[in-house]
């Protein structure tokens, strides 16, 4: 239950206030004239995969995070469930995989790990999900298949 306590809510507000002060008030969810993922600097080969999935207009979190992350910079993104955060970090990670070959995503729950895996697989990434409570043999086989 994220942000269930008053202290967590206050911490989030302080973090957001600090980020707005450092990066400007419109950094996280500003109004952004969106003309597609290619306008964000997404490589053409990845753009084709995104197009096949039917995504045409980036969400605000994607429009703000993708260009920054494509440059290799760290990003802190805060957005509601269902706003496209997975693609906001996944697209830049995949675009940069051609240089580093391996990516690592840590998720706090099994369910979220499996959702992230599904999203990345739809974009053509070979994955291995390592989670507690799942058969070790399957996880070892996934690692031996050399995910990218």
């Amino acid at each position: 239950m994220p942000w269930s306590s008053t202290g967590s809510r206050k911490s989030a507000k302080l973090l957001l206030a600090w980020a707005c002060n450092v990066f400007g008030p419109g950094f996280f969810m500003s109004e952004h004239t969106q003309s597609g993922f290619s306008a964000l600097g997404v490589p053409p080969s990845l753009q084709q995969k995104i197009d096949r999935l039917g995504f045409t207009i980036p969400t605000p979190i994607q429009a703000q995070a993708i260009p920054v992350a494509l440059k290799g910079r760290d990003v802190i993104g805060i957005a509601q469930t269902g706003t496209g955060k997975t693609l906001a970090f996944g697209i830049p990670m995949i675009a940069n995989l051609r240089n580093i070959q391996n990516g690592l995503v840590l998720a706090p729950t099994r369910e979220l790990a499996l959702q992230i895996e599904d999203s990345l697989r739809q974009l053509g990434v070979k994955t291995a999900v390592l989670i507690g409570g799942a058969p070790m043999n399957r996880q070892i086989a996934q690692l031996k298949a050399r995910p990218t």
Side-chain angles (χ1 to χ4, degrees):
M1 291 196 284
W3 317 118
S4 62
S5 71
T6 304
S8 295
R9 213 173 278 133
K10 185 176 180 181
S11 296
K13 287 180 182 178
L14 288 173
L15 175 63
L16 186 57
W18 171 83
C20 287
N21 186 39
V22 171
F23 300 112
F27 180 75
F28 287 104
M29 299 294 279
S30 70
E31 293 298 319
H32 187 275
T33 303
Q34 300 162 335
S35 58
F37 286 90
S38 60
L40 304 178
V42 174
S45 60
L46 188 51
Q47 177 67 49
Q48 290 173 350
K49 294 174 184 179
I50 295 167
D51 289 343
R52 278 193 299 248
L53 292 174
F55 298 116
T56 56
I57 299 174
T59 65
I61 188 72
Q62 293 165 345
Q64 292 292 319
I66 290 172
V68 176
L70 283 171
K71 293 177 185 171
R73 297 191 55 208
D74 292 337
V75 175
I76 297 173
I78 301 171
Q80 294 293 322
T81 299
T83 57
K85 292 181 296 294
T86 300
L87 291 183
F89 74 80
I91 289 171
M93 184 182 78
I94 294 166
N96 290 322
L97 279 178
R98 61 184 172 209
N99 300 325
I100 57 174
Q101 300 301 310
N102 291 307
L104 175 65
V105 178
L106 301 176
T109 67
R110 291 179 198 161
E111 293 79 15
L112 184 56
L114 294 170
Q115 290 171 14
I116 292 168
E117 176 194 35
D118 182 53
S119 293
L120 295 178
R121 282 190 175 206
Q122 289 180 29
L123 291 171
V125 177
K126 281 177 48 180
T127 64
V129 175
L130 309 177
I131 52 178
M136 286 297 291
N137 292 338
R138 180 173 175 245
Q139 295 181 63
I140 292 169
Q142 286 179 336
L143 285 174
K144 286 182 178 178
R146 305 198 47 95
T148 55

